Amino acid sequence: MVEGEETNFPLNARDCLYLDWSHNNGHLCRPLQDDHEITIEELEMRYDTSIKKGLTSSFASQVLERDGPNALRPPKGTPEYVKFARQLAGGLQCLMWVAASICFIAFGIELARGNLASFDNLYLAITLISVVVVTGCFGYYQEFKSTNIIASFKNLVPQQALVIRDGQKNQINAIDLVVGDLVEIKGGDRVPADIRVIFAQGCKVDNSSLTGESEPQSKTPECTHENPLETRNIAFFSTTCLEGVANGIVINTGDRTIIGRIASLASGVGNEKTPIAIEIEHFVDIIASLAIAFGFTFFVVAMFIGYEFLEAMIFFMAIVVAYVPEGLLATVTVCLSLTAKRLARKNCVVKNLEAVETLGSTSVICSDKTGTLTQNRMTVAHLWFDNHVHAADTTEDQSGQSFDQSSETWRALARIAGLCNRAVFRPDQEGLPRLVVGDASETALLKFTELTIGNIMVYRDRFNKVVEVPFNSTNKFQLSVHELEDPMDLRYLLVMKGAPERILERCSTILIKGQELPLDEHLKESFLTAQMDLGGLGERVLGFCYVYLNEKEFPRGYKFDSDEMNFTTSDLCFAGLISMIDPPRATVPDAVMKCRTAGIRVVMVTGDHPITARAIAANVGIISEGSETVEDIAIRKRIPVEQVNKSDARACVINGGQLKDMSSEDLDEALRSHPEMVFARTSPQQKLIIVESCQRLGSIVAVTGDGVNDSPALKKADIGIAMGIAGSDAAKNAADMILLDDNFASIVTGVEQGRLIFDNLKKSIAYTLTKNIPELTPYLIYITVSVPLPLGCITILFIELATDIVISLAYEKAESDIMNLKPRNPRRDRLVNEALAAYSYFQIGAIQSFAGFTDYFTAMAQEGWYPLMCVGLRAHWENVHLQDMQDSYGQEWTFGQRLYQQYTCYTVFFVSIEICQISDVLIRKTRRLSVFQQGNKVLVSAIVFQLLLGNLLCYCPGMPNIFNFMPIRVQWWFVPVPYGILIFVYDEIRKLGVRRNPGSNTFVIVDNHPPPLPLVFLVAGCDLKHKEKVSAFFHESLFCFSRYFTSTPH
Amino acid sequence: MGTFSFSFSTLVCSSHQSQKGTHKHGHELEEEQEELAEHQPLEQEDLNFEKWKRKPLPKRTLYQTIDSVKTYLWNAETKEFMGRTGKSWSLILLFYSALYLFLAAMFGGCMCCLMWSISPYHPTFNDRVMPPGMTMAPHLDGHDIAFNASDRKSWKKYARSMDEYLKPYNDGVQERKNIHCSQEKYFMQDHLEETLERKACQFKRSWLGECSGLQDPHYGYSLGKPCVFLRMNRILGYLPGQGKAINVTCGVKKGNPEALGEVEFFPKSLFDLKYYPYYGKLRHVNYSAPVVAVRFAGVQYDAHIYVQCKLNGKGIINDSPTDRYLGAISFTLDIGA
């Protein structure tokens, strides 16, 4: 797939980037992109356009035909059949395919040899295939559904663009734009294509979706840089024009735009295998090698005993097939999709089923700041007036505490904030949140004043604006002059806001409790402290002042000139400071805390400024209280930064500039030595580097993001999480999971569910594996000892597919400590490890086999076939022509009667496995708590259901001839019970060991964190370090055993 | 044009800085803010798309793979075989032997209990072997009888099989071992002590008349009038017919019913009650199951005739769809001159 994507870019993208910039002639690279450098006339020539009249409509449609629509082509959609085929080709699926083909081969051989005893092999093959196909359909459906949900996000309202063609201004759909079109953009628009700006007035563009940088860039017609990415006269597709107006010529459309290239190349970043896929592959490896080893051993044994080669071959294949856990695939798929469904209810849409588990394995979350951790809206956080800092309500729903608004100063401050403000609500809006045209801080002020003093638009109308001086970088302030609402009062009101120190410079008095007081050193000092404090919180601080202009000097009708500033701009009265921040979401600190307890590192990776980033990080707990950076320590100890021991600093803030100079080893080292990391001012490339570095350190990395610039990192991450509301399509396409509510807290839910699923899968697999042995041993005994076959394959299928899945569904709720454990180590904590396999196979599985055979021999003996007689009976037993075969009592049996007796054996074996599995599921419920310590109603009902199903299979009329189940005698249900009790007691002792020796890990089998030394319940005592503990344990277990045995009738 | 691209105070403000004059400090702050707010240029590297592509993992060479497998199998440094030391392996072995010994003992115990609980004289249940099946002789590979009366070789095998079949019924053997019974009811011997051997009624070969092989050693095969023997499967304690003897009928299963011609039964078409019940091979050592010989005296030549013989009586099933030998037996007759 990766290769396929690459071919879309015929030339190395790096070579092409600066060469093939405009790219209006197919796949050829033109030497050097210079659309920004050439003169307007040359540009007109190049694109056959006019900066006055634009293109002609007819030429435009020709170009449209040549270049295609101006839209990002969705990443080359995998054909549906390939998606479906992919669902059929996972690790387990391949195992099943192999098994099915083996069945077909065995069936073919039997058919060819003409001694076709039954169609079992054929049925088995068909069942295997249908399991694969049905679960495949399930997975495909899930994927299909989430694709649909994602598709529904795509903006249904087509983007419009104002284009000038044939000298006429037209609104057309942005996708119809072509190279050479003359377009007009204004504040609030999305830039419809890559545009060479030819005229601009106060045009500012938010490039954050491209660079992640939230600071607006101004756009002017001049070429300021030879690098097309840097020059001010090119505006990029899909960035947002914040304010001002601009005209420009379209120079790139669709996928040829810079954003288009990033988006389509991001989809070329290969998808790593999900952790669960790796685990399942590992599991399949184990199964396959065990199956082949077993099969081969018995092949040799069979040959040695004297079976024919072909017969031995069939045995070999049958053993391999018997080893395949048929039910597991369905269990895994059902578990995953149930969890996906549960997550969807909590606003996480999972695109790929396996990603459900990935989140559970996650050990590092690289979170974007804006929009994920924060609300993505500037909000007034603090005010300073009357020589006090007041905190404003920053919650999303205005549920917090507000400050005391009774002061006269506050009224003055609010009036300035409301009047000296160019932001306006978009007209004709219903409902909330209302959209605002204006820059972020003005918007914040507008909303704040609207909330605190009422309808600000009406308020502004009352104070007629006479003149206004917009902000510029030399002044660093903005002012406006208003008439007063009282018609009798003929004074003008001058209001001003701007950089605090610049405002302060122009003030001579300060308003304290409604009184104008002279601005003395003391007040200045306190102003400075306040400004520093607020700035230190990462907040954007603005100063506000006002003055009533002298009525005589500035009578009504005075000609104010905004350029000359022919009015008082000094000796003003300082009103106060207002500071703004994009506040964290209310749920985030709690969620970050939960991540911490769950051992997950939350790393902030943002395009924003270090100070803001750090302030927010501290606010939400990514940097915990009391953590210091190297710089902090240096300042505290008054030593140079170089002398600080880096390991003393828990926190670290690295900005993009520093990161640029770091080698990958440096970055790894930094990530290793500082647990609390904030990356600020990072570029998209650097995000990718950070993710790679985390992965190099062995972490499973989740990345959250929303912009196009995040999409490569999202793709690179083990699980990319895109924001549903704020996210760009490119990000959503690259992600594995989408948070519909953009809420970081949902990730925590995802982690919990992911861990739960891993635990439950582990339990399910342990449970499923166990009965593989009692399913296999009958066949082995059948081959070696030649007893009548104790267990048929249809019966095995019923154990696997009917009873098993039912039990697996009744999986546990999270054990209470699930979010207090460290994330699993993907290298060590495998889904299936040796210890688990050995315990399931060779201990519990062995006990179950004995249970099955006990019941089998009981059923045979009570019907007239003594155990010893069964040995070597196979050849006669299976002789179709022998109609008067004598049993131990001399009774004569027809073949049909023997067959039903054989079915009876199948059934009792089935019942034995079922009874033992009930015991097994009880022991698998918990990893180390005793079963009595955790109840589960679902489980109980699942067990009851399983028993009912067993009874139905046994006693429903017609079963003998359909599914080879016989109505068996009631007492045969109870034969395996002692073995069930044995399993239970055996495991309770193991768990007792786990609890008594929490450190030793000697008894841990099914655990998230098995010891590096696995396989040891079986070697209890081999770990000589724990010698005393082990011997103490044995004493205790013996005591327990005796107690269990005296209390259970055996 | 009022965007304030600025105004960030900074954290990095040490105490000595704040001691400086307000104005200067403000100025410094401003400069710092400028720096912070400075446009972060897009690097050429940022758009180096090559870097975004996945790097292929370094592949292990075959040699390395083999080497690591070798080390896994036998690590000379740590003296580990498959990741474990000899001590560890022997402990594993010890543990497993103990576990399996225990399990084997438990299994053995269960088997002992089982054998102790069941009687050697009569099975605990006999529902699976009921109702009785039916067998016939001659029975070679199948139940097809095809021969030419004039061709000795073609029926010799049948005759030999019948000889074998009747050996236990030789009059001498029967007279020596079994008693003569004359009653027409079940021969109940339940009142005897459990371990005692039960008596069996005689069934003499000579009673089979023309099918006895005494007068005609070829059992009618040479005459084109073949005999077959029918027997009902033995079931311990089973009382067939509930007081009324089971009788046998033979007929054409499909095809022309006339083709079979006359059918004779020896000694009669009944399984006498006196041969039942059967007391099992341990106590009923010399039990001789009664035989019904059927002679097809008027069978049509050169026809493939499907014959079915059935048991008829109470409690007998002779039309089971799944078991063709339950209370019935089918065979073909294909006789040439």
Side-chain angles (χ1 to χ4, degrees):
Chain A
M1 179 193 137
V2 177
E3 279 147 39
E5 299 285 350
E6 275 169 24
T7 52
N8 295 337
F9 288 83
L11 285 156
N12 187 324
R14 179 200 245 157
D15 304 339
C16 244
L17 183 60
Y18 295 104
L19 303 173
D20 183 28
W21 175 250
S22 79
H23 193 301
N24 55 0
N25 48 355
H27 290 315
L28 286 172
C29 283
R30 263 205 338 251
L32 252 164
Q33 164 69 35
D34 55 356
D35 281 337
H36 58 294
E37 288 175 322
I38 57 176
T39 61
I40 303 283
E41 288 71 33
E42 281 173 309
L43 194 73
E44 283 182 308
M45 292 272 285
R46 182 172 287 172
Y47 295 113
D48 291 326
T49 185
S50 142
I51 58 161
K52 300 240 156 49
K53 292 185 172 173
L55 294 173
T56 60
S57 296
S58 54
F59 184 68
S61 58
Q62 275 175 34
V63 180
L64 184 66
E65 208 158 296
R66 186 191 68 197
D67 290 351
N70 171 37
L72 291 189
R73 188 180 38 174
K76 206 172 174 196
T78 336
E80 295 299 306
Y81 69 89
V82 173
K83 279 192 203 161
F84 186 66
R86 229 177 264 159
Q87 295 288 343
L88 303 181
L92 274 178
Q93 285 89 337
C94 288
L95 191 71
M96 307 267 279
W97 284 118
V98 171
S101 39
I102 287 177
C103 284
F104 273 127
I105 293 170
F107 178 70
I109 292 176
E110 283 185 349
L111 198 67
R113 292 164 80 214
N115 57 348
L116 193 63
S118 69
F119 285 89
D120 279 3
N121 273 326
L122 187 66
Y123 295 153
L124 190 57
I126 290 168
T127 315
L128 287 171
I129 291 170
S130 37
V131 167
V132 174
V133 172
V134 167
T135 51
C137 290
F138 227 82
Y140 176 75
Y141 173 70
Q142 177 70 32
E143 191 175 321
F144 180 77
K145 226 171 39 184
S146 44
T147 315
N148 270 3
I149 294 176
I150 293 152
S152 69
F153 290 132
K154 296 212 168 122
N155 27 358
L156 300 170
V157 188
Q159 200 196 334
Q160 299 282 311
L162 194 62
V163 64
I164 299 162
R165 283 183 186 168
D166 306 323
Q168 300 278 315
K169 271 192 194 180
N170 294 313
Q171 279 279 5
I172 63 166
N173 282 343
I175 60 163
D176 295 329
L177 279 186
V178 296
V179 167
D181 260 331
L182 180 61
V183 292
E184 240 183 69
I185 50 173
K186 59 178 190 310
D189 287 352
R190 240 167 63 128
V191 179
D194 282 356
I195 286 168
R196 156 84 192 261
V197 177
I198 52 175
F199 163 80
Q201 191 178 24
C203 178
K204 290 219 163 182
V205 172
D206 174 13
N207 269 351
S208 63
S209 70
L210 178 64
T211 60
E213 181 178 36
S214 50
E215 209 53 56
Q217 307 296 313
S218 54
K219 291 294 164 195
T220 55
E222 299 83 37
C223 172
T224 56
H225 204 288
E226 61 184 27
N227 181 344
L229 297 168
E230 286 308 315
T231 181
R232 287 198 168 176
N233 61 353
I234 289 182
F236 297 108
F237 177 45
S238 101
T239 56
T240 312
C241 177
L242 293 175
E243 56 179 37
V245 289
N247 276 3
I249 300 284
V250 173
I251 54 170
N252 285 310
T253 58
D255 284 335
R256 290 168 298 277
T257 59
I258 196 71
I259 285 275
R261 282 152 180 257
I262 296 177
S264 44
L265 273 162
S267 64
V269 176
N271 244 341
E272 306 279 340
K273 266 184 199 146
T274 58
I276 193 77
I278 293 171
E279 290 304 318
I280 285 178
E281 246 164 59
H282 175 244
F283 170 65
V284 167
D285 284 349
I286 293 182
I287 289 278
S289 44
L290 274 175
I292 290 170
F294 257 100
F296 185 74
T297 314
F298 278 85
F299 174 76
V300 173
V301 169
M303 290 295 282
F304 191 72
I305 291 174
Y307 285 103
E308 279 174 58
F309 174 77
L310 266 182
E311 217 164 340
M313 205 60 214
I314 288 176
F315 288 158
F316 171 73
M317 294 192 286
I319 288 170
V320 172
V321 173
Y323 232 98
V324 176
E326 291 91 351
L328 193 63
L329 179 59
T331 308
V332 171
T333 312
V334 171
C335 272
L336 287 174
S337 40
L338 278 183
T339 309
K341 225 173 162 182
R342 201 171 314 153
L343 281 177
R345 272 204 298 273
K346 292 180 177 166
N347 288 324
C348 301
V349 175
V350 180
K351 276 168 71 181
N352 165 8
L353 265 192
E354 289 176 348
V356 173
E357 192 279 326
T358 312
L359 209 46
S361 320
T362 299
S363 45
V364 174
I365 298 176
C366 291
S367 179
D368 188 30
K369 179 180 77 70
T370 317
T372 316
L373 299 174
T374 64
Q375 301 170 18
N376 197 16
R377 58 184 184 102
M378 269 293 174
T379 306
V380 171
H382 290 99
L383 302 97
W384 180 80
F385 59 83
D386 291 348
N387 209 356
H388 281 292
V389 173
H390 303 263
D393 178 13
T394 55
T395 53
E396 285 103 319
D397 51 359
Q398 300 300 321
S399 57
Q401 284 281 320
S402 199
F403 56 95
D404 174 26
Q405 300 182 352
S406 59
S407 166
E408 198 63 38
T409 319
W410 153 243
R411 225 161 294 154
L413 185 60
R415 187 163 67 178
I416 307 168
L419 293 180
C420 186
N421 191 331
R422 287 153 45 94
V424 286
F425 286 111
R426 283 228 183 124
D428 314 322
Q429 286 190 95
E430 299 284 324
L432 290 165
R434 294 210 275 169
L435 293 177
V436 177
V437 182
D439 96 5
S441 42
E442 298 217 306
T443 306
L445 289 171
L446 175 66
K447 287 191 171 170
F448 179 65
T449 46
E450 178 87 5
L451 275 170
T452 45
I453 58 177
N455 191 330
I456 204 77
M457 307 311 272
V458 174
Y459 186 78
R460 275 191 209 163
D461 288 343
R462 296 211 300 265
F463 293 83
N464 205 2
K465 193 191 284 178
V466 186
V467 73
E468 162 175 79
V469 178
F471 178 86
N472 72 45
S473 50
T474 34
N475 286 346
K476 290 192 187 292
F477 66 76
Q478 170 186 3
L479 68 77
S480 57
V481 178
H482 300 260
E483 289 171 7
L484 290 177
E485 67 181 321
D486 180 0
M488 303 308 291
D489 196 340
L490 294 178
R491 289 179 300 175
Y492 285 105
L493 171 67
L494 182 146
V495 286
M496 184 193 257
K497 74 172 179 199
E501 58 280 0
R502 291 299 182 90
I503 297 293
L504 196 72
E505 280 170 18
R506 297 174 183 275
C507 291
S508 55
T509 56
I510 183 165
L511 205 60
I512 302 282
K513 304 227 159 96
Q515 304 287 312
E516 248 183 77
L517 301 178
L519 190 60
D520 56 22
E521 278 305 310
H522 173 69
L523 281 169
K524 270 188 183 169
E525 192 67 41
S526 111
F527 155 86
L528 201 69
T529 320
Q531 190 205 343
M532 300 266 290
D533 285 351
L534 297 178
L537 293 171
E539 293 173 6
R540 179 179 289 194
V541 192
L542 291 180
F544 294 81
C545 62
Y546 76 102
V547 73
Y548 288 103
L549 295 179
N550 191 322
E551 200 179 340
K552 302 205 174 92
E553 233 176 297
F554 305 99
R556 274 291 146 99
Y558 179 83
K559 287 265 176 276
F560 290 98
D561 187 332
S562 66
D563 295 329
E564 299 271 314
M565 293 221 261
N566 53 352
F567 41 83
T568 320
T569 54
S570 55
D571 289 335
L572 311 177
C573 176
F574 193 83
L577 295 169
I578 297 182
S579 69
M580 283 150 291
I581 198 163
D582 178 11
R585 290 163 178 273
T587 49
V588 168
D590 192 38
V592 171
M593 198 60 219
K594 277 187 184 160
C595 285
R596 275 171 171 270
T597 41
I600 300 169
R601 246 173 115 175
V602 183
V603 172
M604 184 192 274
V605 181
T606 175
D608 221 326
H609 302 284
I611 294 163
T612 323
R614 186 188 160 139
I616 294 290
N619 215 323
V620 299
I622 290 176
I623 293 179
S624 51
E625 240 178 281
S627 290
E628 291 178 308
T629 61
V630 172
E631 290 78 15
D632 292 338
I633 296 176
I635 290 162
R636 179 165 55 82
K637 294 186 175 170
R638 303 199 179 185
I639 50 174
V641 174
E642 294 74 34
Q643 287 177 16
V644 177
N645 182 358
K646 278 194 179 165
S647 54
D648 291 346
R650 280 182 59 77
C652 184
V653 181
I654 294 180
N655 69 39
Q658 292 167 290
L659 194 58
K660 204 162 54 187
D661 302 328
M662 291 168 86
S663 68
S664 47
E665 289 76 30
D666 292 341
L667 180 57
D668 290 359
E669 182 52 40
L671 277 167
R672 245 197 303 264
S673 49
H674 307 289
E676 296 167 353
M677 296 287 295
V678 171
F679 292 93
R681 281 262 177 232
T682 49
S683 67
Q685 168 70 17
Q686 287 171 334
K687 285 193 180 191
L688 198 70
I689 289 171
I690 294 162
V691 172
E692 277 175 344
S693 179
C694 292
Q695 285 175 335
R696 254 201 313 278
L697 294 174
S699 309
I700 297 211
V701 185
V703 169
T704 65
D706 48 8
V708 177
N709 61 319
D710 295 324
S711 54
L714 286 172
K715 196 85 193 200
K716 179 77 201 173
D718 296 286
I719 178 167
I721 303 166
M723 299 296 132
I725 302 169
S728 57
D729 287 348
K732 284 179 204 161
N733 278 327
D736 305 296
M737 188 182 253
I738 293 168
L739 300 182
L740 293 186
D741 54 359
D742 288 16
N743 190 351
F744 186 78
S746 312
I747 297 176
V748 178
T749 320
V751 170
E752 188 168 352
Q753 292 296 329
R755 288 185 173 192
L756 182 57
I757 223 169
F758 189 81
D759 266 15
N760 281 324
L761 272 184
K762 198 159 185 168
K763 288 172 185 170
S764 294
I765 284 178
Y767 169 80
T768 310
L769 284 188
T770 309
K771 61 170 202 328
N772 250 24
I773 287 295
E775 282 168 8
L776 189 69
T777 41
Y779 204 73
L780 302 184
I781 298 295
Y782 166 75
I783 295 172
T784 49
V785 190
S786 293
V787 295
L789 186 62
L791 190 62
C793 33
I794 295 182
T795 325
I796 291 180
L797 284 182
F798 266 97
I799 300 171
E800 292 272 357
L801 295 177
T803 61
D804 230 35
I805 295 166
V806 173
I807 286 286
S808 307
L809 290 188
Y811 58 80
E812 284 298 303
K813 290 208 188 75
E815 276 182 61
S816 48
D817 60 352
I818 196 166
M819 289 303 278
N820 296 332
L821 297 171
K822 283 214 173 70
R824 73 187 180 91
N825 179 338
R827 295 201 192 113
R828 234 177 41 208
D829 309 337
R830 313 303 305 251
L831 186 63
V832 178
N833 53 23
E834 271 178 75
L836 175 87
Y839 185 70
S840 299
Y841 275 149
F842 302 123
Q843 296 174 44
I844 304 297
I847 299 177
Q848 292 196 358
S849 304
F850 277 105
F853 276 104
T854 308
D855 212 1
Y856 165 78
F857 283 122
T858 307
M860 283 299 271
Q862 295 199 330
E863 290 287 358
W865 305 87
Y866 290 173
L868 280 177
M869 187 177 183
C870 292
V871 175
L873 204 59
R874 190 175 84 89
H876 288 302
W877 183 274
E878 290 179 354
N879 184 349
V880 193
H881 301 301
L882 191 57
Q883 300 298 341
D884 52 355
M885 187 177 178
Q886 290 201 8
D887 65 12
S888 306
Y889 294 96
Q891 306 185 96
E892 290 167 333
W893 295 62
T894 66
F895 178 76
Q897 288 167 338
R898 296 198 300 273
L899 201 60
Y900 281 126
Q901 173 61 21
Q902 193 173 324
Y903 292 165
T904 308
C905 295
Y906 292 178
T907 313
V908 295
F909 220 104
F910 167 83
V911 164
S912 308
I913 294 179
E914 206 170 84
I915 297 286
C916 288
Q917 284 293 76
I918 288 174
S919 184
D920 194 25
V921 76
L922 288 175
I923 66 170
R924 305 293 189 188
K925 261 160 62 73
T926 54
R927 283 170 296 149
R928 58 186 103 83
L929 295 181
S930 165
V931 69
F932 301 112
Q933 290 168 309
Q934 187 156 1
N936 182 346
K937 273 182 202 155
V938 189
L939 188 80
V940 173
S941 40
I943 292 173
V944 171
F945 183 83
Q946 192 199 13
L947 284 173
L948 287 178
L949 191 71
N951 274 290
L952 179 82
L953 286 171
C954 288
Y955 300 114
C956 183
M959 280 298 169
N961 300 322
I962 308 171
F963 295 129
N964 306 352
F965 279 90
M966 294 294 287
I968 58 163
R969 296 190 170 270
V970 178
Q971 60 265 43
W972 293 336
W973 284 84
F974 295 97
V975 175
V977 168
Y979 290 94
I981 295 169
L982 175 65
I983 290 174
F984 189 81
V985 171
Y986 188 71
D987 196 71
E988 280 292 318
I989 291 171
R990 181 185 69 79
K991 280 181 191 151
L992 189 72
V994 175
R995 290 198 302 277
R996 288 289 158 117
N997 306 289
S1000 88
N1001 285 329
T1002 309
F1003 309 98
V1004 178
I1005 305 297
V1006 186
D1007 199 325
N1008 251 350
H1009 315 284
L1013 174 92
L1015 196 108
V1016 244
F1017 182 41
L1018 29 137
V1019 273
C1022 77
D1023 213 349
L1024 292 174
K1025 277 178 284 179
H1026 307 296
K1027 204 171 177 181
E1028 292 93 63
K1029 274 184 186 171
V1030 168
S1031 67
F1033 162 75
F1034 270 120
H1035 281 122
E1036 185 165 0
S1037 52
L1038 276 176
F1039 171 68
C1040 259
F1041 233 117
S1042 57
R1043 228 179 29 191
Y1044 265 110
F1045 271 74
T1046 46
S1047 61
T1048 45
H1050 180 58
Chain B
M1 329 261 124
T3 299
F4 296 80
S5 57
F6 62 91
S7 261
F8 278 85
S9 274
T10 171
L11 279 179
V12 192
C13 49
S14 57
S15 48
H16 65 269
Q17 264 179 317
S18 56
Q19 284 157 6
K20 289 182 184 169
T22 326
H23 179 78
K24 196 176 179 196
H25 183 87
H27 192 68
E28 259 178 18
L29 261 179
E30 202 173 294
E31 266 177 10
E32 238 161 25
Q33 285 159 5
E34 291 273 305
E35 193 187 312
L36 281 172
E38 192 196 0
H39 167 62
Q40 177 92 6
L42 265 178
E43 294 289 325
Q44 198 153 333
E45 268 297 282
D46 291 347
L47 295 154
N48 175 359
F49 297 131
E50 277 304 299
K51 273 208 169 174
W52 292 5
K53 285 178 190 151
R54 185 178 167 190
K55 288 185 198 98
L57 291 168
K59 282 236 164 98
R60 286 209 301 180
T61 62
L62 185 67
Y63 177 75
Q64 281 169 318
T65 317
I66 293 172
D67 210 49
S68 68
V69 169
K70 258 193 210 159
T71 327
Y72 177 68
L73 283 178
W74 176 247
N75 187 342
E77 275 175 44
T78 50
K79 299 211 169 146
E80 281 173 351
F81 171 66
M82 290 175 80
R84 284 175 192 289
T85 57
K87 191 179 224 165
S88 167
W89 276 114
S90 47
L91 279 164
I92 288 176
L93 229 64
L94 192 76
F95 176 81
Y96 271 101
S97 357
L99 177 69
Y100 286 150
L101 256 156
F102 171 75
L103 285 177
M106 184 165 172
F107 179 72
C110 286
M111 287 296 107
C112 286
C113 291
L114 173 70
M115 292 317 291
W116 170 76
S117 76
I118 61 176
S119 153
Y121 302 112
H122 51 86
T124 320
F125 312 111
N126 58 5
D127 50 344
R128 290 276 161 260
V129 72
M130 294 247 264
M134 198 176 179
T135 54
M136 68 173 279
H139 175 204
L140 300 166
D141 281 338
H143 292 112
D144 303 321
I145 300 170
F147 64 95
N148 289 323
S150 53
D151 181 1
R152 187 183 163 81
K153 244 170 124 185
S154 68
W155 47 256
K156 189 77 180 121
K157 54 189 177 191
Y158 298 117
R160 201 174 289 153
S161 148
M162 315 262 295
D163 278 341
E164 203 62 36
Y165 193 78
L166 284 186
K167 236 178 217 163
Y169 296 98
N170 283 338
D171 290 10
V173 177
Q174 288 293 324
E175 275 164 18
R176 198 167 62 243
K177 290 186 174 167
N178 292 343
I179 57 163
H180 180 77
C181 310
S182 54
Q183 79 273 27
E184 285 298 317
K185 54 178 190 195
Y186 297 121
F187 184 23
M188 305 303 291
Q189 304 172 67
D190 290 341
H191 56 278
L192 295 176
E193 203 177 308
E194 200 177 30
T195 50
L196 269 186
E197 190 179 323
R198 269 46 173 181
K199 300 256 180 332
C201 291
Q202 292 175 351
F203 188 93
K204 290 184 179 168
R205 183 175 181 165
S206 53
W207 299 348
L208 296 176
E210 283 170 66
C211 288
S212 66
L214 298 174
Q215 298 97 334
D216 175 6
H218 305 140
Y219 303 94
Y221 282 77
S222 56
L223 307 171
K225 294 173 180 175
C227 285
V228 300
F229 300 134
L230 301 176
R231 223 159 44 179
M232 190 162 73
N233 277 354
R234 294 186 297 216
I235 296 169
L236 204 146
Y238 181 58
L239 301 172
Q242 299 170 14
K244 192 168 173 289
I246 303 288
N247 82 321
V248 182
T249 54
C250 288
V252 175
K253 199 177 178 188
K254 57 183 174 185
N256 181 11
E258 302 297 312
L260 199 57
E262 196 195 341
V263 181
E264 296 166 17
F265 295 96
F266 302 97
K268 52 194 170 186
S269 66
L270 288 178
F271 289 106
D272 277 331
L273 295 181
K274 61 186 172 192
Y275 297 104
Y276 303 97
Y278 173 54
Y279 281 99
K281 70 177 180 190
L282 198 62
R283 292 180 296 181
H284 228 158
V285 183
N286 297 317
Y287 178 77
S288 306
V291 176
V292 170
V294 188
R295 186 163 181 258
F296 301 96
V299 71
Q300 198 178 23
Y301 281 10
D302 299 322
H304 199 67
I305 308 166
Y306 290 92
V307 187
Q308 188 183 41
C309 292
K310 288 186 193 172
L311 300 176
N312 301 291
K314 276 191 185 163
I316 294 291
I317 295 174
N318 55 20
D319 55 354
S320 161
T322 52
D323 189 353
R324 289 188 300 137
Y325 299 94
L326 210 58
I329 192 155
S330 308
F331 55 95
T332 58
L333 275 178
D334 200 345
I335 305 169

